[in-house]
Amino acid sequence: MSVAESTARETRGPGSVEMALSVNGVSHVLDLEPRVSLLDALREHLALTGAKKGCDQGTCGACTVWVDGRRVLACLTLAVTCEGREVTTIEGLAEGDELHPMQRAFLEHDAFQCGYCTPGQIMSAVALLAEGHAGSDSEIAEWMSGNICRCAAYPHIRSAVREVRDRKTGQ
């Protein structure tokens, strides 16, 4: 590590620092402590409350968002590490007033009960299709296993994922 890099890191805390985050295609400049999680930055500083704070330990998946198109647990991701990267939340999934096909499928298949986990479930479901991990119900269950639904709507969630998968492949 060069002296310049070392000096730059030393100036990033412990107090608040200015950081630029791109969320759902919109640039935001925030003044945050470097230890603020991406989840807290989204919910408390940008009023994007779709990602939920469930366990705050990375075990429930309610806070699932994408960073550069990859699933991450926002409660375990520091906001400062997302500078220069694109963050996508459930609020950025729809195209204007047109719901994403997975959002529509969740509604059509009643793939939620209380709805608390639904944003994280949907973000994971869209990602697992893009990753090619929806070949069977057991594969869907495995790749969605990081998203807990305490209401046990799993059969409906898998049904919604299958519908979107089959629509994409023309089955």
Side-chain angles (χ1 to χ4, degrees):
M1 173 175 10
S2 72
V3 174
E5 289 172 328
S6 175
T7 303
R9 286 198 178 116
E10 289 173 21
T11 62
R12 302 288 312 230
S16 294
V17 297
E18 191 174 274
M19 62 184 77
L21 295 179
S22 178
V23 181
N24 301 327
V26 178
S27 235
H28 303 274
V29 176
L30 301 171
D31 193 38
L32 302 173
E33 288 185 0
R35 62 184 175 192
V36 170
S37 71
L38 177 58
L39 180 61
D40 287 342
L42 294 170
R43 293 183 58 80
E44 297 173 17
H45 300 275
L46 296 176
L48 295 170
T49 57
K52 303 297 187 234
K53 187 177 275 200
C55 65
D56 216 17
Q57 298 175 358
T59 59
C60 74
C63 65
T64 303
V65 299
W66 304 335
V67 175
D68 290 340
R70 296 189 60 175
R71 295 185 259 182
V72 302
L73 299 170
C75 73
L76 297 181
T77 304
L78 294 176
V80 71
T81 66
C82 296
E83 282 190 297
R85 303 169 83 190
E86 180 59 33
V87 176
T88 305
T89 69
I90 191 73
E91 292 91 345
L93 200 55
E95 295 284 334
D97 290 337
E98 183 69 24
L99 292 178
H100 184 278
M102 190 64 72
Q103 290 171 308
R104 284 195 309 272
F106 264 62
L107 288 170
E108 292 165 8
H109 290 267
D110 196 24
F112 54 88
Q113 286 184 30
C114 79
Y116 194 82
C117 71
T118 303
Q121 295 277 0
I122 290 172
M123 296 302 285
S124 278
V126 172
L128 83 85
L129 284 175
E131 297 160 0
H133 299 299
S136 66
D137 275 5
S138 61
E139 188 177 24
I140 293 168
E142 175 67 25
W143 287 89
M144 292 288 291
S145 65
N147 293 83
I148 296 172
C149 174
R150 300 202 193 294
C151 300
Y154 298 116
H156 300 286
I157 292 167
R158 286 190 297 275
S159 178
V161 172
R162 282 193 313 270
E163 178 182 316
V164 176
R165 175 201 65 201
D166 294 348
R167 232 187 266 153
K168 280 185 169 187
T169 61
Q171 294 179 342

